[in-house]
Amino acid sequence: MFGWSINLFRIRGIQLAVHASFFLLLAYVGFNAWLEGGGIGLVLNVAMVLAFFACVVLHELGHSFTAMHFGVGVRRILLMPIGGMAEFDAIPRQPSRELLITLAGPAVNFAIAAVLWVLVGLPADWRLFGFSDYPDTAVGLFQLLLHWNLVMGLFNLLPVFPMDGGRILRALLATRLPYLRATFWAASLGKVLALIAGLIAAFVFHHYLTAFLFAFIYLAGDAEYRAVLRRDLEDAHWRALAAQGFATPAVPEEPPLLGP
Ligand SMILES: [Zn+2]
């Protein structure tokens, strides 16, 4: 699924790559905009998509630079039509670090929103849900970008995996609980929320695409818990073998402390 990507350039050693389907999205948006608004519509809408994904990259760089500050290697940032994904060598299990690394992403969106709010403000008819005033001026473009950064920041704070909010909740729980228990409770809460939201989307609003999204979120909670459980079991397995005097492969250590 993640094949077919094109490497663009490196930012502080992190490879920025774009999934091939991203260009399909650009072509789709460009063609529709051209049909509706001609040349100017095409330029503004393609610029809007590129600006939106630039904000996605900045969000991922927020996570990445904070991770690098703690000595965690970041291999690449992959852009897909559904969003961005930063690939880390290993997410630290210290709650305070995971908390800071995770908070840094939405914080970037709110910082961008604050700067744009000072520069262009929001239109009088703005609302958080359902605002999609397609821009026909440069100011309109920046207002839509401001709106999207607010939505991106808030949506990512939902306390469900694979969103940043799920990791934030796990990190907060992990200050009191073992990491696996914290993951279990964070994933369970996320699954209950996803189930309720999915049922409401399907049977109250008849919005099946949103229901499908929450089905995906439900499964992601399971996947996160199983990934942490598997790593715990593997670690325990190798430790048990090592205790009996068998040679074992090197267990990856926690990244070295570089700061703060
Ligand atoms: Zn994020």
Side-chain angles (χ1 to χ4, degrees):
M1 179 189 172
F2 299 133
W4 291 90
S5 64
I6 296 154
N7 288 341
L8 294 183
F9 47 84
R10 286 183 177 273
I11 308 162
R12 281 181 64 188
I14 307 166
Q15 178 70 59
L16 180 64
V18 177
H19 194 263
S21 56
F22 181 79
F23 295 101
L24 286 178
L25 175 77
L26 264 192
Y28 173 79
V29 169
F31 182 67
N32 271 330
W34 180 70
L35 283 183
E36 280 189 24
I40 265 287
L42 181 131
V43 169
L44 275 174
N45 281 276
V46 168
M48 184 184 73
V49 173
L50 292 178
F52 173 75
F53 278 94
C55 292
V56 174
V57 172
L58 291 173
H59 172 110
E60 296 302 332
L61 285 177
H63 292 310
S64 302
F65 288 168
T66 315
M68 286 159 77
H69 176 76
F70 291 128
V72 179
V74 185
R75 283 167 228 172
R76 68 170 184 166
I77 292 172
L78 177 63
L79 271 187
M80 293 169 287
I82 51 163
M85 199 173 70
E87 295 171 2
F88 299 102
D89 282 342
I91 298 272
R93 286 195 174 191
Q94 293 99 318
S96 60
R97 290 182 185 185
E98 187 176 28
L99 192 63
L100 288 175
I101 292 170
T102 311
L103 281 172
V108 167
N109 293 118
F110 293 128
I112 296 171
V115 170
L116 287 174
W117 192 73
V118 169
L119 293 178
V120 293
L122 280 167
D125 63 340
W126 178 80
R127 59 199 187 281
L128 186 59
F129 295 106
F131 175 81
S132 62
D133 205 1
Y134 274 82
D136 44 20
T137 62
V139 169
L141 190 151
F142 285 116
Q143 285 175 333
L144 192 59
L145 206 57
L146 161 51
H147 167 77
W148 273 348
N149 273 285
L150 284 177
V151 171
M152 209 191 301
L154 289 173
F155 187 67
N156 267 293
L157 289 180
L158 287 179
V160 296
F161 291 113
M163 250 70 83
D164 292 332
R167 296 187 174 283
I168 292 167
L169 176 63
R170 189 238 317 265
L172 291 175
L173 290 171
T175 58
R176 297 290 171 91
L177 297 171
Y179 195 76
L180 185 62
R181 282 275 98 193
T183 305
F184 173 80
W185 285 113
S188 299
L189 178 76
K191 281 161 65 179
V192 170
L193 288 179
L195 193 64
I196 294 171
L199 289 174
I200 291 174
F203 294 109
V204 179
F205 293 104
H206 302 286
H207 208 293
Y208 299 108
L209 198 64
T210 309
F212 181 76
L213 176 77
F214 281 110
F216 169 74
I217 287 171
Y218 183 93
L219 294 175
D222 254 354
E224 178 69 23
Y225 175 69
R226 271 186 279 117
V228 173
L229 178 64
R230 190 165 53 236
R231 207 183 128 190
D232 266 23
L233 290 175
E234 277 172 10
D235 285 356
H237 172 72
W238 292 121
R239 267 199 305 274
L241 282 183
Q244 293 165 33
F246 289 99
T248 59
V251 176
E253 287 183 18
E254 291 289 349
L257 179 68
L258 293 184

